[in-house]
Amino acid sequence: MTLDIVCRVVDNYGDIGVVFRLARALSELPTAPRLRLIVDDLGAFNRIEPSVDPAAPAQRVRGWTVLSWSGPTPASAAAFELAYRGDPARVVIECFACGRPDWLEAMLFDPACEARKTIVNLEYLTAEGYAEEFHRMPSLTRSSSVRKHMFLPGFTEKTGGLILDRAYMGARERTRTEILEGIGIDDGPLLEGLAGLFWIVVFGYERDYRRIVDDIAEFSRERPVLALVAHGKSAACFSRAWEGAGRPFQALDLPFMRQEAWDEVLVASDFLVVRGEDSMARAALSGKPFLWQAYPQDGAHQLVKVAALLGRMRPHFSEADFSAIEAAFLAFNDRLSDGDDVAGSERIYPLLSLGAEGRAGFEEFSESLVRNGNLASALMTFLREIV
Ligand code: TRH
């Protein structure tokens, strides 16, 4: 089977991040499909996977055909023609209802072609109950030869589950020393010192980070901390709060990393502050305590998503541990928009200092997600049923 995976980068790296992860996971299956990835922002793709040429409208990457959303140009027409010769688009995975480029639409809805085509809309990850309801649901298109279905990732076995790609699942094998060397730290004693600290990843949106820094500072008096500050929106905000507090613990600014290297940092850390769905899914799978900052939505709708995730986590924790986790998640997400002066009432000290039972709750949650199975396999099983 050949799949055309269509991706439009709305903002940030979540959309292309999921597509890259999904493509890898599909290609790792025993009966892997052939893949054509159609992406509107090859620059964003290049940042998470540097072997992508941001300027090439048609290219081969890791055995996949990668095509620009904008379609063939006179210079790339032959490459596009070759990509579809004898293998026209029949099964399209449309990511996050991003639409389809006109040139692909023309191929799918060509009145002269009566072959059956299938579009599967891969939705955003949510823990909300509707994921079970809408998962695999058919919907109509304007042509009887083109069928459409929804496919929802999720946290239960009645959904498509989470992507379990090999690089992420195997990321534990990389040692902290190797990770630090990978980001350019080559001083032996410094490496040893940093590797032994309590690692806290910080990857969020713009925010006033003073409360978080204060809590980390308090915790670091018991357990020396290294904050790994991800490149991007939260980096300057976090650093400002850290400087303002008198640099109370060690902190390291990370460069923007290719996704597989970034995953290794997440897995190697002791505590994760993460944003967006893809990193939240990784944090949940890591089995480490984490705090999630959801992408802000109109009317603070992100709180519904956060509450739904908490609902999935609840069975794995004692009352006391869960109420500390719940309070921190809700306070951290209670905002209408983001900005470096947006502050909340979050306290993460109780999460940082969770006892063995609380930490085991996160591990148990992660194991339950792995048991739901790999979204890539579930997607292929579904496609084999409907195509
Ligand atoms: O970047 P995000 O904030 O993406 C968001 C959300 O997905 C949101 O739902 C969506 O609507 C919005 O974008 C438009 O967070 P997320 O989902 O965690 O994606 C980040 C991706 O970037 C993830 O795949 C990991 C990757 N990444 C790297 O590859 N290297 C890095 O150095 C970092 C920090 C991240």
Side-chain angles (χ1 to χ4, degrees):
M1 197 183 290
T2 300
L3 310 184
D4 283 87
I5 304 183
V6 187
C7 172
R8 208 168 192 161
V9 176
V10 176
D11 187 11
N12 306 321
Y13 294 93
D15 308 283
I16 189 65
V18 171
V19 166
F20 179 46
R21 196 180 294 289
L22 175 65
R24 288 189 286 106
L26 287 167
S27 297
E28 287 156 11
L29 296 175
T31 46
R34 276 185 301 276
L35 300 181
R36 287 182 291 243
L37 312 186
I38 299 162
V39 178
D40 75 332
D41 185 347
L42 293 167
F45 198 174
N46 161 269
R47 294 203 76 198
I48 64 166
E49 169 46 24
S51 69
V52 171
D53 178 348
Q59 58 192 299
R60 296 284 294 172
V61 176
R62 295 185 177 222
W64 315 315
T65 300
V66 175
L67 301 168
S68 164
W69 180 289
S70 53
T73 56
S76 64
F80 270 71
E81 208 271 317
L82 187 67
Y84 287 94
R85 189 183 299 157
D87 190 13
R90 291 282 185 263
V91 185
V92 172
I93 310 298
E94 179 181 329
C95 296
F96 319 122
C98 69
R100 284 141 347 234
D102 292 345
W103 56 269
L104 182 66
E105 198 72 346
M107 206 185 305
L108 287 173
F109 289 90
D110 177 1
C113 170
E114 282 175 10
R116 189 199 280 171
K117 289 129 211 151
T118 304
I119 301 170
V120 170
N121 202 348
L122 176 69
E123 292 289 337
Y124 280 117
L125 172 64
T126 180
E128 290 160 279
Y130 76 76
E132 290 187 349
E133 241 171 86
F134 290 154
H135 180 50
R136 293 167 154 249
M137 196 181 261
S139 68
L140 293 174
T141 72
R142 61 180 191 273
S143 160
S144 58
S145 61
V146 184
R147 295 173 320 161
K148 196 166 180 179
H149 293 262
M150 322 253 280
F151 194 91
L152 279 95
F155 295 85
T156 67
E157 56 190 13
K158 291 187 182 150
T159 67
L162 300 178
I163 303 170
L164 306 180
D165 55 295
R166 200 180 289 154
Y168 185 80
M169 301 312 277
R172 272 169 227 273
E173 284 151 30
R174 192 123 156 115
T175 66
R176 286 184 167 192
T177 312
E178 286 167 340
I179 291 171
L180 291 169
E181 281 168 347
I183 52 178
I185 299 172
D186 52 11
D187 170 331
L190 178 65
L191 268 180
E192 289 307 314
L194 294 179
L197 301 177
F198 186 93
W199 284 17
I200 303 177
V201 162
V202 182
F203 175 50
Y205 301 111
E206 296 90 342
R207 184 167 187 84
D208 177 341
Y209 269 91
R210 279 179 298 181
R211 286 186 85 96
I212 299 238
V213 164
D214 286 350
D215 276 5
I216 299 177
E218 187 182 341
F219 176 72
S220 72
R221 288 194 276 275
E222 298 152 27
R223 201 53 224 280
V225 163
L226 173 66
L228 294 155
V229 185
H231 186 89
K233 297 185 169 177
S234 54
C237 310
F238 186 86
S239 298
R240 199 171 314 117
W242 178 72
E243 296 280 356
R247 303 180 172 202
F249 45 84
Q250 299 212 54
L252 189 63
D253 282 324
L254 300 176
F256 193 87
M257 305 173 85
R258 60 185 185 84
Q259 191 187 55
E260 287 151 299
W262 163 249
D263 283 354
E264 289 167 358
V265 174
L266 284 186
V267 171
S269 294
D270 297 297
F271 187 92
L272 317 173
V273 179
V274 289
R275 74 178 204 205
E277 283 88 349
D278 189 46
S279 302
M280 176 266 277
R282 299 305 110 194
L285 284 168
S286 75
K288 306 288 173 60
F290 70 95
L291 176 69
W292 179 43
Q293 189 180 32
Y295 190 71
Q297 295 188 336
D298 284 350
H301 182 72
Q302 72 276 4
L303 285 170
V304 174
K305 300 194 165 293
V306 174
L309 175 67
L310 287 164
R312 303 282 173 214
M313 293 164 65
R314 177 176 236 132
H316 305 286
F317 296 93
S318 69
E319 261 317 294
D321 286 337
F322 182 74
S323 58
I325 295 166
E326 180 179 44
F329 271 57
L330 293 177
F332 194 44
N333 280 285
D334 189 7
R335 84 273 192 214
L336 288 169
S337 60
D338 289 323
D340 52 13
D341 56 346
V342 174
S345 58
E346 64 272 7
R347 287 293 323 268
I348 66 160
Y349 178 81
L351 270 62
L352 290 167
S353 56
L354 271 181
E357 197 195 349
R359 293 186 73 87
F362 283 97
E363 275 164 35
E364 213 185 280
F365 181 46
S366 144
E367 285 156 15
S368 76
L369 301 175
V370 174
R371 274 198 302 275
N372 289 335
N374 182 357
L375 181 143
S377 320
L379 178 60
M380 288 314 293
T381 305
F382 180 53
L383 290 174
R384 288 193 186 103
E385 282 169 26
I386 61 168
V387 169

